[in-house]
Amino acid sequence: MVNQTSKQSTVGPMVIIGALFFIFGFVTWLNSLLIPYLRIACELTEVQSYFVTFAFYIAYLVMAPVSTWVLNTFGFKKGMSISLGIMALGAALFIPAAFSRTYLLFLLGLFILGGGLAILQTASNPYITIIGPVETAAKRISIMGICNKFAGATAPIILGMFLNLSEADKLTKQIGTMSAEEYSNALDQVALQVVNPYIGIVVVLILLSIWISRANLPEVKGDEEETTDHHTISENKKSVWDFPHVILGFFTLFCYVGVEVLAGDTIIAYGVSQGISLDDAKFFTGFTMVAMVVGYIIGIITIPKYLQQDKALRICAILGIAFTLGIVFTSGMTSLLFVALLGLANSLIWPAIWPLALKGVGRFTSAASGLLVMGIAGGAVIPLLYGQIAHSVGSHAAYWIALPCYLLILYYSGPGHKVGLKK
């Protein structure tokens, strides 16, 4: 097990993992713009458009067991390189999908992208957790989170530079003045605008895969037992299912990722529903990401010197509850501001859950990580449920779905993460 605590031993690996966090942040948060964009290009209903997040995040549930096998077979370093190659394949599928304007092919590409990310996340999150002292794990993950969310803030803006959003916006209002053939041809041109940026993404992913395979990255063996007290396990533990706090951690991550994706991926479409143009709304995901980065910086400064990881989780859960109520009890730009502020509430949840959930699992670290990564499937289910509720009662009231999610996170911040652990 790699457990390096010196500054010299962790900086190099952190730079490499930071680059990976940037890449999967960039790829992940492109979805926030793809949802309204593909809704126009592929002539979708609101519910159908949220299959973008479903296809992307359900891959984490399907591929997590495969991820554990890949990492156990090839190791963490080669596993990361393989995952980037898989992601390149998924991004490449956007090219034929755009030329044929086939929504199912877009969804297949998103599923393969998500599958590659499942392997990457399964490797990188425990890696950054156990590469140094566990007490400062949330701080290290917060640094990685800044890389991730900076990418998330820039991704829709950069993609928006390649997409003629004002033209796509106008097309939806011109359908009555165009023939069916003219409208179809116009939509074909809209769809083709994603080709060039995704060619660029494919090239970058391939280059990164080669770089990681040759990088001086120390190997982590997740199935070896820790020697520190924090990771000591009792001899009667036979599998990861013998750790109730890990299983609860899975459900907590499921809810957390659901509300994180809800805040980042629905805010553009929600802004459009409030009468804001798509060209202007493309910046809204950036507001959510900036709020998250502010939270990460607070975490880097305060954890663990002033704030323990479980207390940071509790504060974030309370903020999430308060901001959710703010969304549904206000309207217009004020309500949109509260959606963006969910980024602040969400910022330290992921960094805090991982070390709390991996506490005491020792040689089951890889298996526990694989189970926790399956919780990312919450990003598939909760936004889709939001879309269905929004179709029935409107986008505004549909944000009520976030409240029970934050209540479970609040529970895990207290007794939840201690269930089954010896005192």
Side-chain angles (χ1 to χ4, degrees), residues 139-417:
K139 179 182 289 189
R140 290 192 299 279
I141 299 177
S142 292
I143 295 171
M144 297 300 102
I146 290 176
C147 299
N148 183 276
K149 297 322 179 232
F150 177 74
T154 57
I157 297 172
I158 292 174
L159 182 60
M161 293 169 62
F162 291 90
L163 308 181
N164 193 334
L165 299 177
S166 58
E167 178 187 329
D169 241 353
K170 290 176 183 177
L171 268 179
T172 59
K173 301 169 185 176
Q174 294 175 346
I175 185 170
T177 63
M178 303 172 71
S179 68
E181 184 178 356
E182 289 174 334
Y183 188 64
S184 178
N185 289 337
L187 290 178
D188 287 342
Q189 294 305 309
V190 168
L192 287 175
Q193 292 171 9
V194 302
V195 170
N196 287 338
Y198 273 86
I199 289 175
I201 290 171
V202 170
V203 172
V204 170
L205 289 171
I206 291 174
L207 291 175
L208 271 174
S209 177
I210 296 170
W211 178 48
I212 292 297
S213 68
R214 298 180 178 180
N216 183 23
L217 195 64
E219 189 59 69
V220 171
K221 297 293 184 182
D223 285 336
E224 295 176 4
E225 186 169 354
E226 291 269 12
T227 57
T228 61
D229 292 339
H230 221 75
H231 287 273
T232 301
I233 62 172
S234 57
E235 295 180 357
N236 63 344
K237 301 293 187 182
K238 303 300 182 183
S239 75
V240 71
W241 301 105
D242 292 328
F243 297 91
H245 76 290
V246 175
I247 298 170
L248 277 171
F250 159 78
F251 287 110
T252 306
L253 272 174
F254 184 94
C255 289
Y256 158 68
V257 176
V259 291
E260 182 189 29
V261 174
L262 198 68
D265 280 1
T266 67
I267 189 169
I268 292 178
Y270 181 48
V272 172
S273 75
Q274 299 295 301
I276 298 165
S277 72
L278 184 56
D279 202 26
D280 292 331
K282 70 182 180 185
F283 297 102
F284 290 171
T285 297
F287 300 154
T288 307
M289 299 299 106
V290 168
M292 292 195 78
V293 168
V294 169
Y296 282 132
I297 293 171
I298 293 172
I300 291 168
I301 295 171
T302 61
I303 296 174
K305 186 174 182 180
Y306 304 107
L307 195 63
Q308 297 302 309
Q309 292 167 152
D310 57 339
K311 291 181 180 178
L313 184 60
R314 189 172 304 122
I315 291 170
C316 286
I318 292 170
L319 286 175
I321 293 168
F323 294 153
T324 299
L325 295 175
I327 294 168
V328 296
F329 286 119
T330 61
S331 60
M333 288 302 297
T334 303
S335 182
L336 274 164
L337 176 62
F338 277 116
V339 177
L341 283 173
L342 285 180
L344 178 62
N346 293 335
S347 58
L348 298 180
I349 297 178
W350 178 277
I353 288 176
W354 276 90
L356 293 176
L358 292 177
K359 181 180 179 180
V361 300
R363 61 191 175 92
F364 297 104
T365 297
S366 287
S369 176
L371 178 62
L372 291 173
V373 166
M374 291 173 72
I376 296 175
V381 176
I382 292 174
L384 191 62
L385 289 175
Y386 166 87
Q388 186 63 57
I389 296 169
H391 182 71
S392 301
V393 300
S395 302
H396 188 195
Y399 280 103
W400 274 113
I401 195 174
L403 188 61
C405 297
Y406 285 114
L407 289 172
L408 178 59
I409 294 167
L410 182 62
Y411 168 72
Y412 195 73
S413 71
H417 74 276

Side-chain angles (χ1 to χ4, degrees), residues 31-175:
N31 293 341
S32 62
L33 190 56
L34 285 175
I35 290 169
Y37 193 78
L38 290 179
R39 183 178 178 182
I40 295 170
C42 297
E43 301 178 272
L44 309 173
T45 66
E46 183 169 18
V47 176
Q48 289 172 335
S49 69
Y50 282 103
F51 275 97
V52 166
T53 56
F54 182 84
F56 186 84
Y57 288 101
I58 201 65
Y60 285 89
L61 184 63
V62 176
M63 291 295 294
V66 179
S67 303
T68 302
W69 175 82
V70 168
L71 297 180
N72 287 339
T73 303
F74 298 101
F76 278 51
K77 179 180 172 181
K78 288 183 180 177
M80 291 177 192
S81 181
I82 290 169
S83 70
L84 289 163
I86 294 172
M87 289 170 63
L89 175 63
L93 278 181
F94 270 62
I95 299 167
F99 275 98
S100 61
R101 201 156 55 86
T102 305
Y103 188 45
L104 285 177
L105 201 52
F106 277 115
L107 294 181
L108 179 60
L110 286 163
F111 178 82
I112 295 173
L113 272 168
L117 275 172
I119 301 173
L120 193 60
Q121 294 258 31
T122 304
S124 59
N125 282 290
Y127 195 103
I128 205 68
T129 297
I130 60 184
I131 202 170
V134 71
E135 293 79 11
T136 57
K139 179 182 289 189
R140 290 192 299 279
I141 299 177
S142 292
I143 295 171
M144 297 300 102
I146 290 176
C147 299
N148 183 276
K149 297 322 179 232
F150 177 74
T154 57
I157 297 172
I158 292 174
L159 182 60
M161 293 169 62
F162 291 90
L163 308 181
N164 193 334
L165 299 177
S166 58
E167 178 187 329
D169 241 353
K170 290 176 183 177
L171 268 179
T172 59
K173 301 169 185 176
Q174 294 175 346
I175 185 170

